[in-house]
Amino acid sequence: MTKAQYKDSFIAKIDELFTVEELPSPEERVRQTNEFIEKYFDVVGEKPPALQLERLGNYLLLDYLRDKDKNKSKKS
């Protein structure tokens, strides 16, 4: 697989993360995210693009982002 192909598959893998109905635990999402970033660096030799890092950050917060309750910050 070429670097360009891996970059495309990396984006597709991130797209898949947002389609799951049942989210993994926060710890599992952190593990997945770290694994994605490390693998990208190993294959491509540079950090992922900022947009993809932002999307991975959004994945970490997805349970919070999906909650449409206006008072979600008061629940904690």
Side-chain angles (χ1 to χ4, degrees):
M1 179 180 289
T2 68
K3 289 182 181 183
Q5 290 171 325
Y6 184 78
K7 288 178 180 183
D8 291 339
S9 73
F10 182 78
I11 293 169
K13 288 177 186 177
I14 293 174
D15 291 343
E16 288 176 19
L17 294 175
F18 287 92
T19 63
V20 297
E21 293 293 322
E22 186 79 24
L23 284 176
S25 69
E27 294 81 11
E28 177 63 16
R29 284 181 275 163
V30 168
R31 187 198 64 73
Q32 288 174 324
T33 299
N34 286 335
E35 187 177 290
F36 278 7
I37 294 169
E38 289 175 17
K39 174 91 175 184
Y40 186 96
F41 189 83
D42 289 344
V43 172
V44 179
E46 58 189 39
K47 64 182 174 103
L51 176 61
Q52 301 313 320
L53 291 173
E54 180 180 351
R55 293 180 70 216
L56 287 170
N58 288 342
Y59 175 64
L60 294 174
L61 299 171
L62 198 53
D63 49 351
Y64 183 78
L65 295 173
R66 283 183 177 174
D67 185 356
K68 300 299 181 196
D69 185 2
K70 292 181 182 184
N71 294 320
K72 60 187 161 192
S73 64
K74 293 182 180 182
K75 288 181 184 178
S76 301

